[in-house]
Structure formats: structure tokens, C-alpha cells
Amino acid sequence: MAVLVTGGAGYIGSVTVERLSAQGEAVVVLDDLFRGHRSAVAPVVPLYQGRAGDRSLLKKILSEHKVEACVHFAALAYVGESVQQPAKYFENNVEQGVALITTLLDAGVRSIVFSSTCATYGEPEQIPISEDAPQWPTNPYGWTKLALERMLAAFDRAHGMKFVALRYFNAAGATERSGEHHEPESHLVPNVLKAASGALPILSVFGQNYPTPDGTAIRDYVHVSDLADAHILALKHLRAGGASDFINLGTGQGYSVMEVVECGRKVTGRPIPIRIEPPRAGDPARLVADASRATKVLGWKPRKSDLATILRSQWDWQQSHPNGYAQ
Ligand SMILES: NC(=O)c1ccc[n+]([C@@H]2O[C@H](COP(=O)([O-])OP(=O)(O)OC[C@H]3O[C@@H](n4cnc5c(N)ncnc54)[C@H](O)[C@@H]3O)[C@@H](O)[C@H]2O)c1
């Protein structure tokens, strides 16, 4: 039996594929490589290049592999881009997602692990954020993820399709093989380290007047291999007949942008020049998870998610892959 991983050539997907394969699971990747990298997937793993909602390609994959479950990462995930080009996000994340999930249901695949996000909460009323907090996204990206969450819940009620929607906070860090390389890169950790190596002349820090101790925004960073392990636990939960659920993946510990920069300076031993820029629209001051449900339901505990370990792992990967996957 195989696990279909959509978006498996992307950042979190490729690490999850790596971890699943290491545990002896058969994996099939479907990725259009629009934002992913072929070399992020080991050559022994079957990789189909195409869109997640391409029904005829999905039927071909389902006829060639005994797919038991799907981990659905494939999505566009830039908040700013989603504000500029909402149609692109609703088409890619919602329309493609609907086509994927209905095709899987028709083929009898009834277990889905879905990449959701803390962006579904919007501006939180309370910190830490629990899964029962109100969800009112502040951008189209968040709405596309919330739409799929609601669809999965409806499919469970109507068809008994089981799912775990994992609401990630901020993924960061690398394994020896796979690291973070987005084009363009909008995430803080790789950019801090690019500024340390000189690949980025200066790091932009967006906003310094947030109501936080140092005025910069606070986020909850989770090591990508801890995130990957949570997907494997979610698959096990579904295999064991566990109920559908929505689960935060964070550590419960937040760090400000300036704390990440300072930690980057310590880990690399290099200066990191910064420039303060205006805050980005729709960027909440503080996003920190109440991560207790992940421990309770999945038995998940982050093991590598302390900030220095995260930064060190991505620094090592960037040093050994100076052009990311583009070499
Ligand atoms: N990186 C984070 O901190 C974070 C936080 C919360 C949620 N997420 C979610 O996790 C998932 C993975 O994020 P990531 O950082 O690894 O992103 P990524 O861009 O590195 O990976 C996404 C992959 O999906 C592929 N893809 C996108 N749309 C597709 C489609 N329609 N058909 C086939 N392939 C498609 C891309 O080519 C890429 O390889 C996304 O769904 C994202 O919304 C990420």
C-alpha cells in the first residue's frame, strides 16, 4: 500500500517523503514542480509531474499504485501573492483540492492528511491559539485553506472520509538532505541565514512597533522534521481508525524577528545586517500555538524545534547547497 504525497517536491513535502521512505513506507509523489524541485525527491521515489486536481493523471496513478492514503501538501502559499492574485489561489488551492479529494473518494481512498495553517485563524483573540479559536482569515491564502478544511469536514459527515487537518505554525530548518528553498524566498529563517552568508545583502525586518517586547512580530517555529513526523503519526492515527480532527503544529514558544536574527548571529558567528521596513498588511503581531492537542491525539512532541537547532540545521544545508536545489 502506498501513500500519495501531493506537493512532495516542495519544502515540507520532500522532508515528509524522506521520513516516510526511511520508515519503509511506499510513497508516490504528485507535484507540478511549479514551486518544487525534482532533486528534492530521491530518484527511487516515483514522481508524477502534474497538477493535484488532474483527474485523468490521478486515475493513472491510482491504477499504477495501491494508494491507501493521501498527504495533501500541494498549494500556493504566499500570503502577499494571494492578496494580489486571489483567483490563482482559489483555483490552485480550492478547485484543484476539490478535484483531488473527490477523485480519491471515488477510488475508495478515504484517509487524508491535509496541510492547513495558522493563517486560518486570522488575527487571534487569544494567545496561545487553540484549535477551537475563531477562524477568520485575513487573506485569500488563509481562506483557501479554511475552505478545504470545511470541505473535508463535510466529506466526513456525508461519506465517512477521514482526515487530519494539520495547522502548521512556522515551518523552518532542514535535514541533511532537504532544506528550505523557495523562489522567491519570503520566510524569515532562510533569509536571516542568506544575510549571514552574504547571499542577501541586507535582511528586511517588517515592522518594529508591534505590541511585543522588542516591537517585532512573534512567531512559533517548528522544525520541518518534527512537522514531517506529525504527518506520519496522523497517518497512523487514521489507520488505527482514529476520528477526523484539526490539530495545531507548533511548540507553544514564540520568538520575535529580532530574537531569530540574534540567534542567527550566534549560530553562524557572522554579522547580519538589517533594514527596518514598514509592517506588511495583515501580519498579526503574535502567532503562537497551543500545541497540546497534537500531543494528546497523536502523541506528537517536537524534538528538534529549539531555535538554535532549527537555525543550525538550515545553515548547514545552505552551506552545503549554496544555490539551494538549483545546482
Ligand atoms: N512553510 C510553512 O511555514 C507553512 C506553514 C503553514 C502551512 N503550510 C502549507 O504546507 C504546504 C507545504 O508548504 P511548503 O512550504 O512546503 O511549500 P512549497 O511551495 O515548498 O511546496 C508546495 C509544493 O506543491 C506544489 N504544488 C503547488 N500547487 C500544486 C498543484 N496544484 N498541483 C501539484 N503540485 C502543486 C509545488 O510545486 C511545491 O512543490 C502548503 O500547503 C502550505 O500552504 C506551510
Side-chain angles (χ1 to χ4, degrees):
M1 297 299 272
V3 178
L4 173 63
V5 181
T6 73
Y11 170 45
I12 308 169
S14 62
V15 175
T16 304
V17 169
E18 184 188 333
R19 305 286 288 183
L20 279 165
S21 303
Q23 297 201 6
E25 298 265 3
V27 180
V28 187
V29 170
L30 170 58
D31 196 301
D32 62 7
L33 300 180
F34 178 56
R35 296 252 153 95
H37 312 275
R38 184 175 288 277
S39 61
V41 181
V44 291
V45 176
L47 189 160
Y48 292 80
Q49 184 172 354
R51 303 198 76 200
D54 180 338
R55 291 174 196 265
S56 58
L57 177 58
L58 283 165
K59 283 182 189 144
K60 178 175 152 67
I61 296 171
L62 293 163
S63 72
E64 291 175 2
H65 301 270
K66 276 180 100 63
V67 172
E68 156 231 356
C70 174
V71 186
H72 179 37
F73 289 102
L76 297 175
Y78 292 134
V79 167
E81 187 181 63
S82 81
V83 174
Q84 306 288 325
Q85 301 177 60
K88 181 169 161 177
Y89 273 68
F90 281 94
E91 189 283 327
N92 192 75
N93 296 1
V94 182
E95 276 184 55
Q96 294 287 310
V98 172
L100 168 74
I101 289 160
T102 49
T103 309
L104 292 174
L105 179 68
D106 291 347
V109 181
R110 308 176 84 84
S111 299
I112 311 281
V113 178
F114 172 58
S115 295
S116 190
T117 165
C118 62
T120 60
Y121 295 114
E123 188 70 54
E125 286 168 10
Q126 255 189 326
I127 296 289
I129 306 170
S130 89
E131 288 83 353
D132 303 323
Q135 288 176 294
W136 194 262
T138 51
N139 53 67
Y141 164 65
W143 282 108
T144 66
K145 292 288 180 176
L146 186 54
L148 266 254
E149 281 198 2
R150 295 288 158 88
M151 177 184 163
L152 287 167
F155 271 43
D156 184 0
R157 265 191 304 276
H159 310 296
M161 191 173 210
K162 296 295 166 196
F163 69 90
V164 177
L166 296 171
R167 295 180 186 148
Y168 320 152
F169 281 63
N170 286 59
T175 66
E176 217 171 288
R177 187 182 189 287
S178 315
E180 181 160 20
H181 171 194
H182 292 110
E183 289 289 348
E185 189 57 79
S186 64
H187 290 159
L188 180 64
V189 167
N191 282 336
V192 161
L193 298 169
K194 279 184 176 179
S197 71
L200 193 67
I202 195 158
L203 177 80
S204 294
V205 170
F206 298 100
Q208 62 172 352
N209 293 315
Y210 285 105
T212 60
D214 66 19
T216 62
I218 290 179
R219 296 289 180 269
D220 184 337
Y221 295 90
V222 192
H223 195 288
V224 67
S225 55
D226 285 332
L227 280 186
D229 287 349
H231 293 74
I232 298 173
L233 291 170
L235 285 167
K236 289 185 176 153
H237 169 82
L238 294 175
R239 273 179 197 151
S244 296
D245 215 335
F246 303 94
I247 297 180
N248 284 342
L249 293 179
T251 63
Q253 165 83 51
Y255 292 97
S256 73
V257 173
M258 284 317 298
E259 284 173 320
V260 175
V261 171
E262 211 34 69
C263 187
R265 289 177 179 141
K266 279 204 189 92
V267 162
T268 63
R270 310 262 182 104
I272 297 175
I274 63 164
R275 180 176 51 222
I276 304 293
E277 310 246 15
R280 291 181 296 202
D283 246 357
R286 198 188 284 256
L287 291 173
V288 178
D290 172 345
S292 54
R293 192 182 289 179
T295 309
K296 203 167 132 216
V297 175
L298 302 179
W300 180 74
K301 276 218 163 84
R303 295 180 198 288
K304 296 188 173 171
S305 293
D306 70 276
L307 192 59
T309 305
I310 286 175
L311 284 158
R312 161 69 53 204
S313 64
Q314 176 69 17
W315 177 244
D316 290 346
W317 189 79
Q318 284 182 206
Q319 295 291 95
S320 59
H321 299 74
N323 300 314
Y325 287 108
Q327 53 200 351

